[in-house]
Structures are given as C-alpha cells and as structure tokens.
C-alpha cells in the first residue's frame, strides 16, 4: 500500500531486501549507507527484526533527518516537550489529528481519552492531544473500569489492539471516535476465513458517536498519507539546507 | 541548598560564574569544556539565561551523560517510551515517585491526576506515573472544571504554579496529594512580608487527604536528594565505562 501510494504522488520508493541472518553490524552499515545517500529522504525499517538484532540500536541508527516514522527517542522527546517540535510526527498519531481537524472536531478544552499506550500510537497521540490543549486521560490494560472513563470523553482514540472491545454504552453521545485497531477475527462467511475489525464495535458505536472512523478504510489510509507528507517535508528541508 | 547538600554527602560542587553579556559561542565552549572534564559528572545550567542566548541550544549542548537534570529531549523521549530508560529521570518528578513509594502508596491501577503540564514537572511526572501503571489524566489551564477531574484521583500531583488553587472539596477522601507548587504570597505578619505556599490549600486538604506533602519542606528537599542521586549514578556509570 505504501509503495503504491508513493508511486501515485511521485515519490520514488525502493526496497532493500536483506537476508534474515544478516549481522547487526552489516545492518547498521546498510542504514548508514542510506543515511549518507542524498537521494534518500526517508528510511523505514520493517519491524519486527530477527531476534539476534537489537531493534533499538537499529532504529537509533536512522538519521533523525530521515526518520519519517518519527520513532526516534529524540523525536518523541521533542514531541512531548512544550516549546519543542519534532522533525517528524509519527504517522498514525498525526493522521488521527488530521482526521479530527478535517472533521471539524474541536480539540482545545475537550476531554480526550486514549485507550492504549503503545510507543507508536497511544503515547504519541496522547502527547499531540495534550499539545492541542485537550484534557487527556490514558487508559490501558491495568486500568480498572475503563468504560467509565471512556464514557466521559468528547474524543476517543481506540488503540488497544483488542477486537471490538469498545461498546456502544462506553461512548458519550456525539463523541468523536477514532478507531486505530486492526484485528483479524474468524469469519467463516468470507472466502479468506477472516475479516478485519477495529477496537470499536462499529455497529453499536456508530449509533451513539458523532464521528466514527471505519476499519478498514479509516486511519490506515490516513497513516500512509502522513508518511508521504513526512517524506516530502523531509525532502524540502534537505533542499533548504 | 544544593551546594550544602553536595557538601554533606561528599560531592564536590563548584560554580562557574559567567558575565551576563557572555556570547552564546563562549557559553557553548564553556559547556563543552565541562563535558570534556572527566572529573565532572553532572552539569546544571542555571535558568533563565540572558535573552540573547538560545536556551534550547545550550541545554542540548550538555552531554547526555552529564545531564543530571534529565531535561535533554533524548532523555525525555526515553522516559516517555515503553521499553526505554532515560539516563537520568528529572529530579522533581523522580522525587514525587520516591515520596509515593516511601509512603506506601500503590500507584499501579490507580487514578492519578497531574495538574500542570510543564516540561520540568507536569509532563515527566505524568510519564512516570503512566510507566508505573497508573491511569493518568493531565489537567491544565485549558481544562474546564478541573475540580471534577481532580476529585476522581487516588493520587494528585499539583504542579500548576497557582497559590492554594486546590481546595479541600477537590480531593477524594484518603487520596495521596503531592504539592509541587512554590508560590510566594503576601504575609504582613512575617518580617519578610511574604511566605511560601503550595498549589494546595494545606489547611483544607490536610483534613481530607490520606497523604499530603507540606510546602516548604516536602518535594523541595526530595528534589535536591534526587539530584544528588542522579549525580552519583552518573559518576558510577563513568567508572564502569
């Protein structure tokens, strides 16, 4: 999907396929080669990496100027801090904010509840909502009675990775609900034997929410769009410098 | 206070007094000199800096191995991210967690409300509470009706910088309340003409809370203790390496 989207907007993308038994040192060297290549403006490392390779080390090796995923701790630190701006905002959280903004949902002064605290979605989207002046609560697997907290939210970001956990009676009428989940569940009626569902029970919540993103077709395509945007932004900065 | 505390535990501390009209380049060079000095294990830059100097640039110049304040964005990023650890946890937030732990307050699974979202207290203490498995809400100047949210908290961290804003009826009976505020208010009965108060109305809240830190004498001394601890930890790492 990413490759196709790149082609559509005129970004040249290419894969670097490496053997699974590549040494950590060789992978570091490969990242360094791409860091040094001025024709490359964004580098994505496909996770998970083989077990013998230190994921953190490889991700930290990506030049911060080409970290279009925005996962470098320096980027996350800047994202978190008032008065600092990251070079790249992680794509899915950025897409959530874009969806709210394009739908005319006010964030400032609103109660936002983020379900899930992953490094790639829950945490950074919480930080973005906070910077946008929402009152943010982060709910997670150790939260007793998450439904009572979600019920107070004007904005719900569902990023727990639990199929259809958020039910209709969890949602305040009129709330904006962004469903980041992508869970595969059995579905004998499909030829594939499964279908994709979100963290939100769409049939129930769509009757209560003011806004609700579908799965698939909601956050996913927006994430890809934000990845392209980050890459273009990075390339522009490269030209200016 | 920091100097005296250093002397008491056997840390050699020294001031580098620089003229107010020092150039940014000269200040950067001074930080670099201390970065390179193997007998120095912790560097604090006294804020605020004169207006002609870029504060962010100077703070970023401090070697991450000697950033005992823990304010470097790379440190904050690691603090925020699951599975990553900062080299130094910022002192006041670290002190809040120590106070909770030493008082036997369970954090895991509890509702925590942080009032204030500053880079030095509100934000990092929220991240620490989240990592410790609390359900965290961050309340700030754009939050309507903060009292109704604070009232749900088992743990309250008051770090808004508003004298005695948190009243007795904001607090759930038995809650643990950490008062990070240090506000100076007029007091004609004192020779100085003022006294220090926290963000919490101590007289009222002490009747309701299960735990409450005083101001002065609560978080302040614990912050200094954590600064010493960070410095010793940094020095130990220096020896091992």
């Amino acid at each position: 999907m990413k490759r196709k989207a790149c082609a559509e907007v005129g970004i040249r993308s290419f894969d670097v396929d490496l053997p699974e038994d590549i040494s950590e040192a060789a992978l570091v060297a490969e990242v360094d080669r791409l860091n040094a290549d001025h024709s490359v403006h964004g580098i994505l490392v496909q996770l998970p990496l083989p077990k013998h390779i230190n994921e953190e080390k490889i991700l930290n090796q990506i030049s911060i100027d080409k970290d279009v995923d925005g996962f470098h701790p320096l980027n996350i630190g800047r994202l978190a801090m008032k008065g600092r701006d990251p070079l790249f905002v992680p794509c899915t959280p950025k897409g959530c904010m874009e969806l709210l903004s394009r739908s005319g949902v006010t964030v400032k002064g609103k109660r936002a509840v983020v379900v899930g605290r992953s490094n790639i979605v829950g945490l950074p989207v919480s930080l973005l909502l906070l910077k946008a002046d929402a009152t943010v609560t982060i709910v997670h697997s150790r939260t007793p009675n998450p439904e009572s907290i979600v019920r107070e939210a004007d904005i719900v970001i569902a990023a727990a990775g639990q199929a259809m956990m958020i039910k209709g009676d969890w949602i305040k009428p009129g709330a904006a609900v962004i469903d980041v989940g992508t869970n595969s569940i059995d579905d004998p009626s499909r030829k594939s034997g499964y279908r994709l569902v979100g963290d939100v029970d769409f049939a129930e919540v769509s009757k209560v929410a003011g806004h609700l993103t579908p799965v698939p077709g909601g956050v996913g395509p927006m994430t890809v769009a934000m990845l392209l945007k980050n890459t273009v932004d990075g390339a522009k900065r490269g030209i200016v410098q």
Side-chain angles (χ1 to χ4, degrees), chain A residues 1 179-183 190 194-200 202 212-222:
Chain A
M1 186 150 88
D179 190 354
V180 183
T182 315
N183 312 286
R190 302 278 176 112
Y194 72 91
R195 64 187 168 102
L196 292 181
V197 298
D199 289 355
V200 173
F202 191 90
L212 173 60
T213 61
V215 176
V219 172
M222 189 54 101

Side-chain angles (χ1 to χ4, degrees), chain A residues 78-150:
Chain A
R78 288 183 180 171
L79 182 72
M81 292 171 84
K82 214 189 287 190
R84 309 288 176 97
D85 289 306
L87 284 173
F88 300 105
V89 174
C91 303
T92 301
K94 186 172 174 160
C96 293
M97 299 304 287
E98 189 78 15
L99 284 162
L100 291 171
S101 153
R102 299 274 183 124
S103 308
V105 175
T106 305
V107 175
K108 188 174 180 166
K110 299 293 179 185
R111 292 287 306 265
V113 172
V114 176
V115 185
R117 51 176 167 171
S118 69
N119 286 341
I120 60 173
V121 185
L123 174 76
V125 82
S126 303
L127 298 171
L128 286 173
L129 287 163
L130 180 64
K131 272 201 172 170
D133 286 336
T135 299
V136 181
T137 303
I138 307 165
V139 157
H140 49 76
S141 57
R142 302 294 177 181
T143 302
N145 304 316
E147 59 275 23
S148 68
I149 298 170
V150 172

